Amino acid sequence: MKPKGNGLVELAGEKTVERGFFCMKLVSFLNEEAEMGTEKYAQLWRQRFDEAKGGQCAYSEKCPIYAKTIKKRGHQLNLFQ
């Protein structure tokens, strides 16, 4: 049996699946919160995308995509479990 990585260490020859995440609505909300190109914007970008990937989007209260998902599924899916 081949050893499996734990996500912290990459093992040679191990197949990994990279999953990207991007949301244009999140970007539009970021643009309202901070000026693009500033250090604050860069920090918010990392923070807000990490939160959204974890299923805790800071803009969920005003996001029409989130509202549509809740209406359809009853809950927001967690993208990276």
Side-chain angles (χ1 to χ4, degrees), residues 28-57:
S28 70
F29 291 135
L30 275 172
N31 289 339
E32 293 172 6
E33 191 171 351
E35 185 178 341
M36 193 182 305
T38 63
E39 183 62 32
K40 180 180 178 184
Y41 188 86
Q43 290 173 344
L44 278 174
W45 180 280
R46 287 187 293 274
Q47 178 186 347
R48 297 295 191 234
F49 270 90
D50 286 343
E51 292 168 351
K53 283 190 276 187
Q56 302 296 319
C57 183

Side-chain angles (χ1 to χ4, degrees), residues 7 16-23 26 46-57 75-81:
T16 58
V17 176
E18 295 290 329
R19 294 184 181 169
F21 171 76
F22 191 79
C23 178
L26 195 148
R46 287 187 293 274
Q47 178 186 347
R48 297 295 191 234
F49 270 90
D50 286 343
E51 292 168 351
K53 283 190 276 187
Q56 302 296 319
C57 183
H75 66 282
Q76 178 67 38
L77 299 175
N78 189 340
L79 299 175
F80 302 93
Q81 295 181 3

